[in-house]
Amino acid sequence: MSEVGFDIMNVLQLLYDQDNKGVMVEFTKKDGTDRKMLCTLAATLIPDEAKPKTPASEVVSEEAPQKTPEAQRVYDLEKQAWRSFRWDSVKFFQAIK
């Protein structure tokens, strides 16, 4: 895994923090374009119908790629869908209060 310039555990804590309205993550997509995404892992911010039915470690499908340490699966609050980003592509992140 490539070295990142921030503490991944800090970002994960922000993503799970139910007091936030989400976390704005700016990253570079595989195609080279930059993207900003308002996302979360806080259960209170994810609609019931979108919550995983099985533990994340057991979910492997085309829609839910296998969990890897290089990528993070998150719920995109604007698109109302699960998305992912690669940790080594993150440029910026900020909790939205």
Side-chain angles (χ1 to χ4, degrees), residues 7 17-18 21 28 33 56 63 65 67 75-76 78 82 87:
D7 183 359
D17 187 344
Q18 297 188 29
K21 294 180 180 172
T28 304
T33 59
E63 290 183 1
K67 186 177 175 183
Y75 189 75
D76 185 324
E78 296 170 326
W82 289 94
W87 285 110

Side-chain angles (χ1 to χ4, degrees), residues 18-63:
Q18 297 188 29
D19 292 332
N20 291 333
K21 294 180 180 172
V23 175
M24 184 62 68
V25 178
E26 183 177 348
F27 60 98
T28 304
K29 293 171 41 173
K30 282 185 179 183
D31 68 5
T33 59
D34 289 339
R35 178 165 192 265
K36 289 183 182 178
M37 175 171 51
L38 181 62
C39 56
T40 190
L41 290 173
T44 56
L45 297 176
I46 300 170
D48 287 339
E49 62 274 6
K51 290 179 181 169
K53 307 297 185 257
T54 59
S57 61
E58 295 177 20
V59 177
V60 179
S61 72
E62 204 169 291
E63 290 183 1

